[in-house]
Structure formats: structure tokens, C-alpha cells
Amino acid sequence: MEIIFFYLVALIVVISGILVVRCQSPVNSALALVNTFFCLAIYYVMLRAPFMAAVQIMVYAGAIMVLILFVIMLLNLGTEAKKRYTQGIVWSSLASLLLLVNVVYFLKRGQVTDSVGDITAYTVQSFGHTELIGKALFTEFLLPFEIASILLLVAIVGAVVLAKKDV
Amino acid sequence: MTPEMLSLSNSPGIFIGIMLVKLIVVFAVVMLSVAYATWCERKVIGHMQTRLGPMRTGWHGLLQPFADGIKLFFKEDFIPAQASKVPYLLAPMMILVPALITVAVIPFGPDITLFGFQIPQQISDLNIGVLYILAFAGLGIYGIVLAGWASNSKYALLGGVRATAQMISYELAAGLTIIAVFMLSETLSLRGIVALQQQDLWGVCSFVPNWYVFTQPLAFCLFVVTGLAEINRTPFDMPEAESELVSGFCTEYSSMKYALFFMAEYANMIVIAAITATLFLGGWSAPLNIAIFTMIPGFVWLLLKVYSLMFFFMWLRATFPRVRYDQLMQLGWKVMLPLALANVVITGLVVVILQ
């Protein structure tokens, strides 16, 4: 049952992933990317990580992609003129083939183990995934968390300074 | 012995059957409410402006929603020649679906025992209920943005651009006000939040329930205002703004596609009212812990609260003029956001002190 669902969603993810690259209009590409993010959120739910799924939709599909779409709309990019890139094709296909071989090799070499550490499927289900992430963020990983927030603050201030003509 | 909670694993047949019944009933109630909210709004605003509103179809215009539906159904379905087809067709669906999907996590009554199983009166009790609502509220933006862009009309584009900026700004404040609520509840499940609100007020007053509107009055006010801004209701209906933008993002739409936008507006209103009722007004629980009140089934209370809030929204529409765009942005970023942040800080302080 779950495996059928997995392949169904996988098909949609791959098709929308191809559409991101193949679409003529940038808005359609952005839409396909939103769909890809949404389907990734479905995988988080299937991995019993509902918090990650909600955040994935909220942050990536809901906020970042809206901003990207906003910029595309304002720039009013039309459908790009069709160009043929003949030079890159050989090298890019070679590179992607190498990447595929790499991924398949390491996937085959690796062994599926059970989860390591105190957090098992049972604790996630009984204790709640959100609580576990919250606890970890504010105790064990407090310093990286705070540094990340300072980084974001700096980015915001920088954006305001760049956008304003006279500060 | 309390009976087992019904799930897909212990009795798939009954589970799917009950789920279908719940889905159909909830969908029917929401759609009927949408249809009659349109009638109700015209009636309420009519009477507030000393007019009568619709009177011709049925008794006091009661059949007006059906007449409107039939009219829109038989109109020509027109697609502008210069429009981008796919986004143009997708947009009305992408605005209605997130609105309807959100209803799935609203609880409408206590657990009941049927066929020897415990059945929650809620389509799905997610343990990330509140985040689920926020996530789908975020997806609701796409419908408006795409409608504005795909129509290839300057009025529609302006409406779409305004909607994006407005919804992104107010989503932040709405999310922050909800944080204050689940700092008190310590759960994200809406079922858990309603259960907590049924306890005694501050643990002392035995017959008044512990609704979060009493402990979080500021958050309640902020959430209602940001909610109105998020669903583009007057006084924040900048994306439509009839007097400046013809009809905003849905200018180029006709027939059933226009009807979908119209339905989405009212469905959003119902959803915001239901979320406000669940988070702040005790959901399906009775307003006083007296036997006469608690005897009335939960869904009646929930619907009463939802309809009262919707009446309040209509009242606001009849009372306030539309705000200017720069005022809207000022309000969002310079008033709402700092207030919501301050509310989170104060709530945190009080929670820590009381522990």
C-alpha cells in the first residue's frame, strides 16, 4: 500500500522536476518547483517527520517560492527564445552519468541499518516529533541555532541597506 | 475500560466508511455555509445600509445562492487570447483547495463510541495541526498571484502583486500570534488545544471555561485582524479594490472560474472563523460549564461561534472604508509585528514566572 503510494509520488516528483528545467515560461517552471517541494513534504510525512513536512511547505513552498514568483512577475520575463546548446550536451551528459554511477554505487555499497541513538520510531510516535526537534535545537544545538539567526539578521539588515538610497 | 481508538489498522472497513461519512458531512456543511454566507452578507449589508438586499427569489431572497449558481454556470467560459493557459486554468483551483483542505483539522465535538470503537469528531487529528493550517494558508497565495499574472491584464497584475505583498507581511504576524497560544497549550494538536480550554478558568473559576481569549486578549485581536488581512476581506481588500482595479486579480475571469474565486473568499472566511473559534473561543466546548449548555452537542456551539464571527466580519465590511496601501503595510510591519513579538515575550515571561 505504502510502496504504491511512494512510487506514485515519486513519478510526480520526477515529472515536475523535469518540467522545472524544460518549461518555456519561467512562471511555469516556478510552479513545477512548488509542486516538487510539496511532494518532498509528502515524503517527510511518510518518514514520520510531520514537523519537517509542515516547515518544508511553509518555508519553501509557501514563502521562498512566492518571493521568487513575485520577482519573476515584476521583471516580466517573457518566454525565452529557443536556443540550441550543442557544445554543452556531451559534457553535461557525461557529468550526470558519472553522478548517477556514483550514487548507485554508494547506495548499493551501503547497508540499511536500524536507527542509531535514543531516538527510534517508537519515541517519535509517543513523544512527538516537534518536541524532539525543539528540545534538540534549544539544548544540544543552541549555539549553531543562535549563529544561524544572527546570520539571517545580518542578511536582512544588508538587504535593507542595499535597497534604501539614503540610510 | 475505554474502547480502542478507531484506526486503519484495527478495522479498515469501518474506518474508511466512517471517514467517508465525516468527509461528506463536513464538505456539505462547509459548501452550504459558503452558499448561504453570500446571501447572508448581502442581506446584512443591505439592512445596515437601510436597503432590503435580495428579495425576489424565494422568501426574502432565500433561493438567491442557487439562482446565482445557475446563472454563473450558464455564462460563457471565456479565456483571454493573451493569457497563459495553464496558470490561468490552475489559479481558481489553487485558491479554493487550500481553503477547503484546512477544515480537515478542525475538531467539531468530543469523541463518541460507535461499533465498540472510540471515534474522534474530527476528520484528522494531526499532531502538527496548527502548523498544517499555517502551511496551507501559505499555499493559498498562489491562486491569487497566478490569477493576477496569467490574465495578462494590468489591473489583474496589480491585484496579484498587492495580494502577494499583503499576505506575506500578515502571515508573519498571524504565525507569531499563534505561537503565544501554543506556548500556553504546549501542544500543536487542535484537539488538545480544545481539551485544555475546557478546564476551569485559571484553575479557580469552576463554571467559566479556560478559553484562551481570556488569557490572550491581545493575541485574539491581532489574529482576527491579521486573519482578515490574509483572506483579503474589507477593510483590507486591496487586491480586489473595485474602485481602483475594476475587480483586481479576478477581472478577466468569467463563469464557473469566477464562481470558484467567489466561493474561495467565503470558504476562507469560514476557515478563519473556525480557526479563531478553535484557538481562542474553546472550539466546540460550551461557553459556560452548566448542564444545560454542555447538553447541547459540540458542533452546534462550533457553528454558532463560526457564524457569529462571520457576522462580525460582515459588520466590519459595512462599517470601515478600505485602507490605503501604504497604511496597510505600515500597520502590518510597524504595529502588528512588534505587538505580536511583544506578546510572545510577555507570555514567555509569565509562563516562566508562574512555573
Side-chain angles (χ1 to χ4, degrees), chain B residues 149-192:
Chain B
W149 181 81
S151 304
N152 199 19
S153 137
K154 52 178 174 279
Y155 297 119
L157 183 66
L158 276 174
V161 169
R162 280 182 180 184
T164 327
Q166 175 177 338
M167 285 167 103
I168 289 177
S169 322
Y170 278 83
E171 212 176 50
L172 277 175
L176 280 173
T177 51
I178 295 181
I179 285 180
V181 171
F182 57 69
M183 279 166 92
L184 293 178
S185 70
E186 292 177 4
T187 173
L188 289 173
S189 148
L190 288 174
R191 210 163 85 106

Short mmCIF file of all heavy atoms in Angstrom, two decimals, chain B residues 149-192:
data_model
loop_
_atom_site.label_atom_id
_atom_site.label_comp_id
_atom_site.label_asym_id
_atom_site.label_seq_id
_atom_site.Cartn_x
_atom_site.Cartn_y
_atom_site.Cartn_z
N TRP B 149 -1.26 37.17 -12.62
CA TRP B 149 -0.22 37.18 -13.63
C TRP B 149 -0.72 36.60 -14.96
O TRP B 149 -0.47 37.15 -16.03
CB TRP B 149 0.99 36.37 -13.14
CG TRP B 149 2.10 36.35 -14.14
CD1 TRP B 149 3.01 37.33 -14.35
CD2 TRP B 149 2.38 35.32 -15.07
NE1 TRP B 149 3.86 36.97 -15.35
CE2 TRP B 149 3.49 35.74 -15.82
CE3 TRP B 149 1.79 34.09 -15.34
CZ2 TRP B 149 4.03 34.96 -16.81
CZ3 TRP B 149 2.33 33.31 -16.33
CH2 TRP B 149 3.45 33.76 -17.06
N ALA B 150 -1.47 35.47 -14.85
CA ALA B 150 -1.83 34.74 -16.05
C ALA B 150 -2.87 35.47 -16.90
O ALA B 150 -2.96 35.24 -18.10
CB ALA B 150 -2.36 33.36 -15.67
N SER B 151 -3.65 36.37 -16.29
CA SER B 151 -4.70 37.04 -17.06
C SER B 151 -4.13 37.99 -18.10
O SER B 151 -4.82 38.37 -19.04
CB SER B 151 -5.60 37.85 -16.13
OG SER B 151 -6.13 37.03 -15.14
N ASN B 152 -2.89 38.41 -17.92
CA ASN B 152 -2.24 39.34 -18.83
C ASN B 152 -3.03 40.65 -18.94
O ASN B 152 -3.33 41.13 -20.03
CB ASN B 152 -2.08 38.70 -20.21
CG ASN B 152 -1.04 39.43 -21.03
OD1 ASN B 152 -0.22 40.15 -20.47
ND2 ASN B 152 -1.09 39.29 -22.33
N SER B 153 -3.40 41.17 -17.77
CA SER B 153 -4.12 42.44 -17.73
C SER B 153 -3.51 43.26 -16.61
O SER B 153 -3.10 42.71 -15.61
CB SER B 153 -5.60 42.18 -17.46
OG SER B 153 -6.09 43.09 -16.52
N LYS B 154 -3.39 44.57 -16.82
CA LYS B 154 -2.64 45.34 -15.81
C LYS B 154 -3.38 45.43 -14.49
O LYS B 154 -2.77 45.41 -13.44
CB LYS B 154 -2.26 46.72 -16.33
CG LYS B 154 -3.36 47.54 -16.90
CD LYS B 154 -2.81 48.90 -17.31
CE LYS B 154 -3.83 49.75 -18.02
NZ LYS B 154 -3.99 49.40 -19.43
N TYR B 155 -4.71 45.46 -14.53
CA TYR B 155 -5.46 45.52 -13.27
C TYR B 155 -5.28 44.24 -12.49
O TYR B 155 -5.05 44.24 -11.28
CB TYR B 155 -6.95 45.74 -13.57
CG TYR B 155 -7.22 47.04 -14.25
CD1 TYR B 155 -7.78 47.10 -15.50
CD2 TYR B 155 -6.89 48.23 -13.62
CE1 TYR B 155 -8.02 48.29 -16.13
CE2 TYR B 155 -7.11 49.44 -14.23
CZ TYR B 155 -7.67 49.47 -15.50
OH TYR B 155 -7.90 50.66 -16.10
N ALA B 156 -5.37 43.11 -13.21
CA ALA B 156 -5.22 41.82 -12.54
C ALA B 156 -3.81 41.69 -11.96
O ALA B 156 -3.63 41.23 -10.83
CB ALA B 156 -5.50 40.68 -13.51
N LEU B 157 -2.80 42.12 -12.72
CA LEU B 157 -1.42 42.00 -12.24
C LEU B 157 -1.21 42.84 -10.99
O LEU B 157 -0.62 42.38 -10.01
CB LEU B 157 -0.44 42.44 -13.34
CG LEU B 157 1.02 42.26 -12.95
CD1 LEU B 157 1.36 40.81 -12.79
CD2 LEU B 157 1.94 42.91 -13.95
N LEU B 158 -1.75 44.07 -11.01
CA LEU B 158 -1.62 44.93 -9.82
C LEU B 158 -2.27 44.27 -8.62
O LEU B 158 -1.73 44.28 -7.51
CB LEU B 158 -2.26 46.29 -10.09
CG LEU B 158 -1.37 47.29 -10.79
CD1 LEU B 158 -2.16 48.53 -11.14
CD2 LEU B 158 -0.20 47.66 -9.89
N GLY B 159 -3.46 43.69 -8.84
CA GLY B 159 -4.14 42.98 -7.75
C GLY B 159 -3.30 41.84 -7.22
O GLY B 159 -3.16 41.67 -6.00
N GLY B 160 -2.71 41.07 -8.14
CA GLY B 160 -1.90 39.93 -7.73
C GLY B 160 -0.67 40.36 -6.94
O GLY B 160 -0.36 39.79 -5.90
N VAL B 161 0.00 41.43 -7.40
CA VAL B 161 1.19 41.92 -6.72
C VAL B 161 0.84 42.42 -5.32
O VAL B 161 1.51 42.11 -4.33
CB VAL B 161 1.86 43.04 -7.55
CG1 VAL B 161 2.93 43.73 -6.74
CG2 VAL B 161 2.45 42.47 -8.81
N ARG B 162 -0.27 43.16 -5.24
CA ARG B 162 -0.71 43.64 -3.93
C ARG B 162 -1.01 42.48 -2.99
O ARG B 162 -0.61 42.51 -1.81
CB ARG B 162 -1.99 44.46 -4.09
CG ARG B 162 -1.77 45.86 -4.54
CD ARG B 162 -3.10 46.53 -4.60
NE ARG B 162 -3.00 47.91 -5.02
CZ ARG B 162 -4.03 48.72 -5.08
NH1 ARG B 162 -5.23 48.28 -4.76
NH2 ARG B 162 -3.88 49.96 -5.46
N ALA B 163 -1.71 41.46 -3.52
CA ALA B 163 -2.09 40.32 -2.69
C ALA B 163 -0.85 39.63 -2.13
O ALA B 163 -0.80 39.30 -0.95
CB ALA B 163 -2.91 39.33 -3.50
N THR B 164 0.18 39.44 -2.97
CA THR B 164 1.38 38.76 -2.51
C THR B 164 2.02 39.52 -1.36
O THR B 164 2.29 38.95 -0.30
CB THR B 164 2.42 38.67 -3.64
OG1 THR B 164 1.74 38.55 -4.86
CG2 THR B 164 3.34 37.52 -3.44
N ALA B 165 2.26 40.81 -1.59
CA ALA B 165 2.94 41.60 -0.56
C ALA B 165 2.14 41.59 0.73
O ALA B 165 2.68 41.41 1.82
CB ALA B 165 3.13 43.02 -1.06
N GLN B 166 0.82 41.75 0.60
CA GLN B 166 -0.04 41.82 1.77
C GLN B 166 -0.04 40.50 2.54
O GLN B 166 0.14 40.47 3.76
CB GLN B 166 -1.45 42.15 1.30
CG GLN B 166 -2.48 42.12 2.39
CD GLN B 166 -3.83 42.53 1.86
OE1 GLN B 166 -3.93 43.19 0.83
NE2 GLN B 166 -4.88 42.14 2.54
N MET B 167 -0.18 39.39 1.81
CA MET B 167 -0.30 38.11 2.51
C MET B 167 1.02 37.70 3.14
O MET B 167 1.04 37.15 4.24
CB MET B 167 -0.80 37.04 1.55
CG MET B 167 -2.28 37.23 1.28
SD MET B 167 -2.85 36.27 -0.10
CE MET B 167 -3.68 34.94 0.72
N ILE B 168 2.15 37.99 2.48
CA ILE B 168 3.44 37.64 3.08
C ILE B 168 3.64 38.44 4.36
O ILE B 168 4.06 37.91 5.39
CB ILE B 168 4.60 37.90 2.09
CG1 ILE B 168 4.55 36.87 0.98
CG2 ILE B 168 5.93 37.83 2.78
CD1 ILE B 168 5.60 37.10 -0.07
N SER B 169 3.29 39.74 4.33
CA SER B 169 3.51 40.57 5.52
C SER B 169 2.65 40.11 6.68
O SER B 169 3.11 40.03 7.81
CB SER B 169 3.17 42.03 5.24
OG SER B 169 3.56 42.39 3.97
N TYR B 170 1.39 39.79 6.39
CA TYR B 170 0.49 39.49 7.50
C TYR B 170 0.60 38.05 7.98
O TYR B 170 0.20 37.75 9.09
CB TYR B 170 -0.95 39.84 7.12
CG TYR B 170 -1.22 41.30 7.29
CD1 TYR B 170 -0.88 42.21 6.32
CD2 TYR B 170 -1.77 41.77 8.47
CE1 TYR B 170 -1.09 43.56 6.49
CE2 TYR B 170 -1.99 43.12 8.66
CZ TYR B 170 -1.65 44.01 7.67
OH TYR B 170 -1.87 45.34 7.86
N GLU B 171 1.16 37.17 7.12
CA GLU B 171 1.34 35.79 7.54
C GLU B 171 2.29 35.71 8.74
O GLU B 171 2.06 34.94 9.67
CB GLU B 171 1.94 35.01 6.37
CG GLU B 171 1.50 33.58 6.31
CD GLU B 171 2.07 32.93 5.08
OE1 GLU B 171 3.28 33.05 4.85
OE2 GLU B 171 1.29 32.34 4.35
N LEU B 172 3.34 36.56 8.71
CA LEU B 172 4.30 36.58 9.81
C LEU B 172 3.62 36.91 11.13
O LEU B 172 3.78 36.19 12.12
CB LEU B 172 5.36 37.65 9.53
CG LEU B 172 6.50 37.27 8.62
CD1 LEU B 172 7.36 38.48 8.38
CD2 LEU B 172 7.31 36.18 9.27
N ALA B 173 2.84 37.99 11.12
CA ALA B 173 2.18 38.41 12.36
C ALA B 173 1.19 37.34 12.82
O ALA B 173 1.11 37.04 14.02
CB ALA B 173 1.47 39.74 12.14
N ALA B 174 0.45 36.73 11.87
CA ALA B 174 -0.52 35.70 12.24
C ALA B 174 0.20 34.52 12.89
O ALA B 174 -0.23 34.01 13.93
CB ALA B 174 -1.29 35.24 11.02
N GLY B 175 1.33 34.10 12.29
CA GLY B 175 2.08 32.98 12.85
C GLY B 175 2.57 33.29 14.26
O GLY B 175 2.47 32.47 15.16
N LEU B 176 3.06 34.53 14.46
CA LEU B 176 3.59 34.90 15.78
C LEU B 176 2.49 34.93 16.84
O LEU B 176 2.73 34.55 17.98
CB LEU B 176 4.28 36.26 15.70
CG LEU B 176 5.68 36.22 15.13
CD1 LEU B 176 6.20 37.62 14.93
CD2 LEU B 176 6.62 35.47 16.05
N THR B 177 1.26 35.38 16.47
CA THR B 177 0.20 35.39 17.48
C THR B 177 -0.17 33.98 17.87
O THR B 177 -0.47 33.72 19.03
CB THR B 177 -1.06 36.11 16.96
OG1 THR B 177 -1.39 35.56 15.71
CG2 THR B 177 -0.85 37.57 16.84
N ILE B 178 -0.13 33.04 16.90
CA ILE B 178 -0.47 31.66 17.25
C ILE B 178 0.59 31.06 18.17
O ILE B 178 0.27 30.27 19.05
CB ILE B 178 -0.64 30.82 15.97
CG1 ILE B 178 -1.85 31.33 15.18
CG2 ILE B 178 -0.88 29.37 16.30
CD1 ILE B 178 -2.12 30.57 13.93
N ILE B 179 1.86 31.49 18.00
CA ILE B 179 2.92 30.97 18.88
C ILE B 179 2.58 31.23 20.34
O ILE B 179 2.73 30.36 21.19
CB ILE B 179 4.28 31.63 18.52
CG1 ILE B 179 4.80 31.01 17.23
CG2 ILE B 179 5.30 31.42 19.62
CD1 ILE B 179 6.11 31.56 16.78
N ALA B 180 2.04 32.42 20.63
CA ALA B 180 1.69 32.73 22.02
C ALA B 180 0.67 31.74 22.55
O ALA B 180 0.70 31.35 23.71
CB ALA B 180 1.14 34.16 22.11
N VAL B 181 -0.27 31.30 21.66
CA VAL B 181 -1.28 30.33 22.11
C VAL B 181 -0.64 28.99 22.44
O VAL B 181 -0.89 28.42 23.49
CB VAL B 181 -2.38 30.15 21.04
CG1 VAL B 181 -3.28 29.00 21.40
CG2 VAL B 181 -3.17 31.42 20.91
N PHE B 182 0.22 28.50 21.55
CA PHE B 182 0.73 27.19 21.93
C PHE B 182 1.92 27.22 22.88
O PHE B 182 2.39 26.19 23.31
CB PHE B 182 0.91 26.21 20.76
CG PHE B 182 1.76 26.61 19.62
CD1 PHE B 182 3.11 26.72 19.76
CD2 PHE B 182 1.18 26.81 18.39
CE1 PHE B 182 3.89 27.04 18.68
CE2 PHE B 182 1.95 27.13 17.30
CZ PHE B 182 3.30 27.24 17.45
N MET B 183 2.33 28.42 23.31
CA MET B 183 3.21 28.47 24.48
C MET B 183 2.41 28.10 25.73
O MET B 183 2.94 27.55 26.68
CB MET B 183 3.79 29.87 24.65
CG MET B 183 4.98 30.13 23.74
SD MET B 183 5.37 31.85 23.68
CE MET B 183 6.56 31.93 24.98
N LEU B 184 1.11 28.44 25.72
CA LEU B 184 0.25 28.08 26.85
C LEU B 184 -0.20 26.63 26.76
O LEU B 184 -0.23 25.91 27.74
CB LEU B 184 -0.98 28.99 26.90
CG LEU B 184 -0.74 30.45 27.21
CD1 LEU B 184 -2.06 31.19 27.15
CD2 LEU B 184 -0.12 30.60 28.57
N SER B 185 -0.58 26.20 25.55
CA SER B 185 -1.18 24.87 25.42
C SER B 185 -0.13 23.77 25.42
O SER B 185 -0.41 22.64 25.80
CB SER B 185 -2.00 24.79 24.13
OG SER B 185 -1.15 24.81 23.02
N GLU B 186 1.08 24.06 24.97
CA GLU B 186 2.17 23.09 24.89
C GLU B 186 1.83 21.92 23.98
O GLU B 186 2.37 20.84 24.11
CB GLU B 186 2.59 22.60 26.26
CG GLU B 186 3.24 23.70 27.07
CD GLU B 186 3.61 23.27 28.47
OE1 GLU B 186 3.42 22.09 28.78
OE2 GLU B 186 4.07 24.11 29.24
N THR B 187 0.86 22.10 23.09
CA THR B 187 0.59 21.09 22.08
C THR B 187 0.20 21.78 20.79
O THR B 187 -0.34 22.88 20.82
CB THR B 187 -0.51 20.12 22.52
OG1 THR B 187 -0.82 19.27 21.42
CG2 THR B 187 -1.77 20.83 22.94
N LEU B 188 0.48 21.12 19.66
CA LEU B 188 0.10 21.71 18.38
C LEU B 188 -1.20 21.09 17.86
O LEU B 188 -1.74 21.53 16.87
CB LEU B 188 1.20 21.48 17.34
CG LEU B 188 2.47 22.27 17.54
CD1 LEU B 188 3.52 21.81 16.56
CD2 LEU B 188 2.21 23.74 17.33
N SER B 189 -1.66 20.03 18.54
CA SER B 189 -2.88 19.36 18.10
C SER B 189 -4.09 20.20 18.48
O SER B 189 -4.24 20.62 19.62
CB SER B 189 -2.96 17.99 18.74
OG SER B 189 -4.28 17.64 18.95
N LEU B 190 -4.98 20.44 17.51
CA LEU B 190 -6.15 21.29 17.79
C LEU B 190 -7.07 20.61 18.79
O LEU B 190 -7.74 21.27 19.58
CB LEU B 190 -6.89 21.61 16.50
CG LEU B 190 -6.16 22.59 15.60
CD1 LEU B 190 -6.87 22.74 14.29
CD2 LEU B 190 -6.03 23.93 16.27
N ARG B 191 -7.11 19.25 18.76
CA ARG B 191 -7.92 18.51 19.71
C ARG B 191 -7.43 18.78 21.14
O ARG B 191 -8.21 19.04 22.05
CB ARG B 191 -7.80 17.02 19.42
CG ARG B 191 -9.00 16.22 19.76
CD ARG B 191 -8.90 14.91 19.04
NE ARG B 191 -8.10 13.97 19.80
CZ ARG B 191 -8.63 12.96 20.46
NH1 ARG B 191 -9.92 12.76 20.43
NH2 ARG B 191 -7.88 12.13 21.13
N GLY B 192 -6.09 18.76 21.30
CA GLY B 192 -5.51 19.02 22.60
C GLY B 192 -5.78 20.45 23.05
O GLY B 192 -6.07 20.70 24.22
#
